[in-house]
């Protein structure tokens, strides 16, 4: 079975540019999560969706970040404009249990570098 | 106090020994506990998970819960160099549907 699919795997862009990260959750999973991981801050939850609806976006750093889930099989995380401090690995994860009692399955991540 | 805390390590054990990793959590009502392994440059990979009703053993791995002291542990028996990784503890805080992750413990198993 296909796991969580993220694209691109690597992204290098200049400060000020728009960045769009993409995620396809595991088929049948109804909850999707976007995380950011850095050495300093560890793994941070940015936002999560249940049945395509944003439930908690309290982890989104600021208005430059936005996320959408137009359907059950696709989500995007957008940064506009990007800044060097946004450099991190961004993970998408999904699960079928909206209550959080089942494991989340992670994609391979997008390594983002903002120059 | 952080919601989920782990000793960042590094924890170094010789090959064949038992590695013991611990994680404390703040919410007494938490019911689901997860252990992930993350190799350098890779994504977190689920090792095992337990609920508040009991411990679990899976091969060389055992997860144990101490509800009274609010900590969960992961024991790795017969540690191998391939077990060297960062181990992340995650807790379902207040059943909100999201997991809160600890900072991770770096484990090094030396031959």
């Amino acid at each position: 079975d296909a796991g969580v699919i993220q694209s691109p795997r690597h992204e290098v862009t200049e400060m000020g540019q728009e960045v769009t990260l993409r995620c396809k959750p595991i088929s049948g999973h109804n909850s999707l999560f976007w995380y950011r991981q850095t050495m300093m801050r560890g793994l941070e939850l940015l936002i999560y969706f249940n049945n395509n609806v944003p439930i908690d976006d309290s982890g989104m750093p600021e208005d430059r970040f936005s996320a959408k889930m137009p359907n059950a099989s696709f989500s995007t995380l957008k940064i506009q404009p990007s800044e060097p401090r946004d450099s991190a690995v961004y993970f998408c994860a999904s699960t079928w249990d909206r209550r959080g009692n089942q494991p989340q399955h992670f994609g391979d991540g997008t390594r983002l570098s903002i120059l | 106090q952080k919601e989920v805390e782990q000793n960042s390590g590094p924890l170094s054990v010789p090959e064949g020994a038992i590695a013991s990793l611990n994680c404390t959590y703040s919410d007494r009502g938490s019911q689901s506990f997860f252990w992930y392994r993350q190799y350098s440059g890779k994504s977190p990979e689920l090792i095992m998970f337990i609920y508040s009703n009991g411990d679990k053993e899976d091969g060389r791995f055992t997860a144990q819960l101490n509800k009274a002291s609010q900590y969960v542990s992961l024991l790795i028996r017969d540690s191998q160099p391939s077990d060297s990784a960062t181990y992340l503890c995650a807790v379902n805080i207040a059943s909100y549907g999201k997991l809160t992750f600890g900072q991770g413990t770096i484990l090094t198993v030396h031959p």
Side-chain angles (χ1 to χ4, degrees):
Chain A
D1 289 341
V4 176
I5 299 172
Q6 292 186 245
S7 64
R9 291 293 308 277
H10 303 273
E11 176 87 14
V12 181
T13 192
E14 292 188 346
M15 175 179 172
Q17 296 298 306
E18 178 178 291
V19 174
T20 299
L21 310 181
R22 298 172 175 80
C23 175
K24 175 180 170 56
I26 293 173
S27 178
H29 283 191
N30 56 20
S31 296
L32 182 142
F33 305 80
W34 281 102
Y35 292 91
R36 177 174 67 178
Q37 188 174 42
T38 61
M39 289 291 292
M40 289 295 294
R41 301 174 68 90
L43 194 62
E44 303 175 277
L45 178 66
L46 300 177
I47 185 171
Y48 81 95
F49 296 83
N50 181 255
N51 291 328
N52 313 336
V53 176
I55 302 299
D56 184 348
D57 65 354
S58 59
M60 296 286 262
E62 48 199 91
D63 291 346
R64 297 184 298 106
F65 286 68
S66 63
K68 293 182 179 179
M69 192 164 186
N71 57 62
S73 59
F74 184 66
S75 177
T76 59
L77 177 68
K78 188 171 293 186
I79 309 173
Q80 167 63 21
S82 57
E83 296 183 4
R85 60 193 168 119
D86 301 331
S87 298
V89 181
Y90 291 79
F91 290 106
C92 177
S94 70
T95 184
W96 59 265
D97 178 22
R98 65 179 179 86
R99 294 167 301 174
N101 290 324
Q102 294 295 319
Q104 294 178 15
H105 299 269
F106 284 77
D108 289 335
T110 295
R111 186 172 297 273
L112 178 63
S113 297
I114 308 298
L115 307 177
Chain B
Q1 179 189 5
K2 293 183 179 178
E3 292 180 300
V4 179
E5 291 200 65
Q6 296 180 254
N7 187 326
S8 62
L11 173 66
S12 182
V13 301
E15 184 175 357
I18 295 176
S20 178
L21 304 160
N22 291 320
C23 167
T24 59
Y25 59 96
S26 61
D27 181 15
R28 189 171 291 278
S30 297
Q31 297 187 2
S32 306
F33 308 88
F34 304 82
W35 283 101
Y36 287 82
R37 176 177 61 201
Q38 187 175 25
Y39 292 114
S40 180
K42 301 295 185 181
S43 61
E45 169 193 18
L46 179 72
I47 299 176
M48 62 192 313
F49 64 102
I50 58 173
Y51 298 122
S52 57
N53 58 354
D55 303 337
K56 183 187 288 186
E57 180 177 319
D58 184 2
R60 296 187 296 112
F61 299 91
T62 299
Q64 298 175 321
L65 175 65
N66 185 319
K67 283 197 289 187
S69 299
Q70 292 180 231
Y71 76 83
V72 58
S73 61
L74 179 69
L75 301 177
I76 306 175
R77 290 180 297 281
D78 188 24
S79 296
Q80 302 296 310
S82 59
D83 294 326
S84 298
T86 297
Y87 289 80
L88 298 166
C89 169
V91 180
N92 181 2
I93 300 288
S95 297
Y96 280 152
K98 62 181 183 181
L99 299 182
T100 300
F101 283 80
Q103 285 286 93
T105 298
I106 299 171
L107 172 67
T108 301
V109 181
H110 53 89

